[in-house]
């Protein structure tokens, strides 16, 4: 076990029960200081429960955890001084203006009235909310509300940030904007733990990905390791005419060097590939030469459901909000 | 790399319970100001009740053996009823904050223990002054007068503020226990509404039949109404033969209730609140 000071977040054997339902079955986590870890899992996997324990909102039935070196059970106040939490549904105060929200949080961090105001204006600026700062947060769009929520967690410049599904419910543009903001924070050395249902998001933001299912960690590693486990990029082809599917699949097999999975109903063939764009180019030329009508051809990543299928041998128990078969393209649409 | 905690926080380290409580109280007051429709129970409703009862029922209800007319009798009762309804405001605010995640956000901040409930209580106490002032003014307009010393009148207002404070803790207890503002409304309507009517609020308890009369005589809403009438010099109630101790000593009886409610409800509410968020 490493010294607690090298990991900004550390958890050992966290167990949490609600009645006879066990939400966490002994979860271990280690997030090195200054890095980003994504906890990936479907609804009901235990992500939020883990975050609530690490942020002192809930006490574990067994196990220990430290944040910034402080014990979440015995040193809760020190832990709270060092963390920022953006809960799953943005908990901004709808009846306060954006600016008032931030000032209140600043005052509760004991910044002093003047500094709290200064910090609020600074954050509004940083999150492109200066103009909206005087409007009630209840009138904000989903993306603005998330940005305000995130700004609120940053008021006291916490070294450790917890974001529980920060982009759920956001449109693609708002999501991309939020990702950029998070990049900036990470550049400044903030340690980040975020939960997500999207492999794409975990891969985009995180150094390490922890896959969690039914309250257990079922895989753990950087995205390259994880992708190696689940097969990495795929080429996916949809033909217009089902009669041409077998012919097309054969071309796909030659280009990618592996046997494709065929789904006749959706006229789709999918094959894992390690050579990416080169394989895509070769296949598209070959398809054109063979005169096959193609509806769609592209590279994609495995969905969360496929990750779970590979790791557990069964689909994710609770379907992600966008449905089990949603491709990343569909998710971000 | 050694990552000792928080290098660049210019965050105060000391615990500041009064400051934290006031920040949360300010938020509560802003909420009230921005939801005028939620303030009607403290503004329009008491004014309306004074006017309705004074002019609609005032002619029909005759108070036996009383010195003043019905308007004088009425005021103590309306004060008592409206202050009892103060339970709703605190309960609804807390239930809403628990439901929408505000309580979680506060708890993830390094604020003083008790600041969330303390702030709620302070905001509701300030809000509670509003109906007291508005009803007094409306009462004066319709012809209510006090016939006692300035000290007794001050005592009456002190008793009202104490009662308001007690009701806030009943509200906090409800708000910690019930899952949503809607549930609060349901429970409060069934439990509290009748409590304010089976009392000497609008009619003398002697006029009530058997069991209801006994209930009304020992009902703290009655005793507050009677205590206020005594202190304002509007009393008609204490005089009847065979009146039990709560009626003849309404001020003492009301004080005991207030101390009991605060002494029991406040610690219990804090405990239940803490348990309700510890999952």
């Amino acid at each position: 076990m490493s010294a607690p000071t090298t990991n900004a977040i550390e958890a050992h054997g966290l167990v949490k029960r609600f009645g006879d339902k066990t939400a966490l079955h002994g979860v271990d986590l280690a997030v090195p200081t200054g890095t980003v870890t994504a906890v990936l899992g479907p609804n009901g996997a235990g992500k939020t429960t883990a975050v609530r324990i690490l942020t002192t909102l809930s006490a574990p039935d067994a196990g220990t955890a430290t944040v910034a070196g402080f014990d979440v059970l015995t040193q809760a106040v020190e832990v709270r001084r060092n963390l920022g939490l953006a809960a799953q549904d943005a908990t901004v105060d709808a009846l306060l203006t954006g600016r008032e929200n931030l000032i209140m949080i600043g005052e509760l961090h004991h910044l002093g009235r003047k500094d709290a105001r200064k910090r609020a204006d600074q954050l509004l600026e940083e999150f492109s909310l200066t103009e909206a700062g005087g409007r009630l947060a209840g009138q904000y769009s989903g993306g603005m509300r998330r940005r305000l929520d995130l700004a609120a967690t940053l008021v006291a410049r916490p070294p450790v940030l917890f974001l529980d599904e920060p982009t759920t419910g956001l449109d693609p543009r708002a999501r991309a904007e939020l990702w950029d903001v998070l990049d900036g924070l990470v550049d400044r050395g903030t340690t980040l733990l975020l939960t997500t249902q999207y492999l794409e998001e975990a891969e985009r933001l995180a150094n390490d990905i922890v896959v969690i299912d039914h309250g257990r960690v079922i895989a753990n590693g950087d995205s390259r390791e994880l992708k190696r486990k689940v097969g990495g990029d795929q080429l996916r082809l949809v033909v217009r005419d089902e009669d041409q599917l077998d012919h097309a699949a054969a071309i796909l097999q030659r280009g990618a060097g592996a046997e494709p999975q065929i789904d006749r109903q959706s006229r789709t063939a999918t094959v894992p590939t390690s050579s990416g764009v080169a394989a895509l180019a070769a296949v598209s030329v070959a398809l054109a030469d063979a005169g096959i009508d193609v509806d769609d051809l592209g590279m994609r990543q495995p969905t969360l459901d496929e990750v779970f299928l590979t790791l557990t041998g069964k689909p994710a128990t609770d379907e992600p909000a966008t449905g089990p078969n949603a491709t990343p393209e569909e998710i971000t649409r | 790399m050694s990552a000792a905690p928080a290098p660049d926080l210019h965050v105060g380290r000391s615990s500041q319970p009064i400051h934290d409580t006031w920040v949360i109280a300010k938020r509560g007051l802003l909420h009230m100001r921005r939801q005028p429709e939620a303030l009607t129970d403290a503004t329009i409703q008491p004014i309306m009740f004074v006017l309705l009862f004074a002019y609609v029922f005032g002619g029909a209800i005759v108070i036996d053996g009383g010195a003043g007319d019905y308007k004088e009798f009425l005021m103590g009762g309306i004060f008592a009823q409206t202050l009892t309804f103060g339970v709703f405001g605190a309960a609804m605010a807390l239930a809403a904050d628990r439901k929408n995640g505000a309580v979680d956000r506060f708890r993830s901040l390094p604020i003083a223990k008790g600041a969330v409930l303390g702030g709620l209580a302070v905001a509701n106490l300030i809000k509670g002054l509003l109906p007291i002032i508005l009803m007094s003014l409306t009462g004066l307009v319709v012809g209510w007068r006090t016939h006692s010393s300035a000290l007794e009148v001050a005592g009456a207002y002190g008793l009202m503020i104490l009662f308001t404070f007690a009701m806030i803790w009943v509200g906090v207890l409800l708000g910690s226990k019930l899952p949503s503002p809607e549930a609060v409304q349901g429970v409060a309507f069934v439990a509290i509404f009748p409590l304010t009517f089976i009392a000497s609020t609008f009619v003398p308890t002697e006029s009530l039949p058997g069991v209801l009369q006994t209930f009304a005589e020992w009902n703290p809403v009655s005793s507050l109404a009677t205590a206020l009438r005594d202190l304002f010099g509007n009393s008609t109630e204490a005089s009847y033969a065979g009146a039990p101790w709560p009626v003849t000593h309404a001020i003492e009886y009301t004080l005991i209730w207030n101390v009991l409610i605060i002494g029991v409800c406040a610690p219990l509410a804090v405990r239940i609140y803490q348990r309700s968020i510890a999952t």
Side-chain angles (χ1 to χ4, degrees), chain A residues 144-169:
Chain A
M144 288 162 75
R145 203 182 298 222
R146 288 277 181 181
R147 293 212 300 277
L148 180 63
D149 193 37
L150 192 58
T153 67
L154 297 174
V155 166
R157 301 186 175 85
V160 185
L161 262 191
F162 292 87
L163 309 177
D164 197 2
E165 302 203 6
T167 63
T168 297

Side-chain angles (χ1 to χ4, degrees), chain B:
Chain B
M1 178 187 126
S2 128
D8 120 77
L9 297 185
H10 43 79
V11 174
R13 294 263 140 182
S14 54
S15 172
Q16 301 180 14
I18 295 177
H19 169 269
D20 295 349
T21 302
W22 179 237
V23 172
I24 290 175
K26 273 195 305 191
R27 162 185 179 269
L29 292 171
L30 270 177
H31 275 206
M32 293 169 195
R33 222 176 67 199
R34 294 197 177 143
Q35 290 177 293
E37 68 279 5
L39 260 186
T40 50
D41 64 334
T43 53
I44 296 172
Q45 185 184 306
I47 294 176
M48 212 172 69
F49 270 36
V50 172
L51 295 176
L52 282 177
F53 277 92
Y55 291 119
V56 178
F57 295 118
I61 303 174
V62 179
I63 306 297
D64 293 334
D69 66 357
Y70 185 65
K71 283 164 193 159
E72 301 230 325
F73 176 83
L74 173 71
M75 284 310 293
I78 296 252
F79 277 124
Q81 184 187 46
T82 302
L83 298 190
T84 307
F85 287 157
V87 169
F88 292 76
M92 304 242 292
L94 181 57
D97 278 352
R98 278 178 54 226
K99 198 182 172 194
N100 67 23
V103 165
D104 272 355
R105 161 140 273 164
F106 288 138
R107 287 221 321 142
S108 74
L109 297 171
I111 60 175
K113 236 184 176 163
V116 173
L117 293 188
L120 183 85
V122 170
N124 277 282
L125 197 59
I126 294 173
K127 173 194 175 188
L129 299 179
L130 213 59
I132 297 179
I133 295 168
L134 291 173
M135 280 187 292
S136 301
L137 295 176
T138 316
L140 290 174
V141 169
V142 303
W144 165 69
R145 294 291 179 267
T146 63
H147 309 284
S148 55
S149 70
L151 199 69
E152 282 172 306
V153 171
Y157 281 96
L159 196 60
M160 284 198 255
I161 291 168
L162 185 68
F163 192 82
T164 303
F165 191 65
M167 288 304 108
I168 288 169
W169 288 107
V170 177
V172 171
L173 196 60
L174 280 178
S176 305
K177 201 83 186 148
L178 297 171
S180 68
E182 293 74 24
V184 169
Q185 236 162 356
V187 168
F189 188 76
V190 169
I192 292 172
F193 202 67
L195 193 70
T196 64
F197 277 96
I198 310 173
S200 68
T201 342
F202 301 111
V203 293
T205 50
E206 320 136 70
S207 68
L208 296 169
V211 183
L212 286 187
Q213 179 177 349
T214 312
F215 182 87
E217 281 166 349
W218 292 82
N219 183 344
V221 181
S222 295
S223 78
L224 176 65
T226 307
L228 293 176
R229 287 171 191 138
D230 287 349
L231 286 165
F232 285 136
N234 298 149
S235 188
T236 57
E237 184 88 354
S239 48
Y240 72 88
W245 192 79
V247 178
T248 53
H249 295 80
I251 299 169
E252 292 87 336
Y253 185 69
T254 308
L255 281 173
I256 292 172
W257 264 103
N258 281 334
V259 171
L260 260 171
I261 289 173
I262 296 169
V264 173
C265 285
L268 196 64
V270 170
R271 259 201 25 217
I272 290 181
Y273 165 79
Q274 257 152 7
R275 206 170 315 147
S276 79
I277 52 180
T279 52

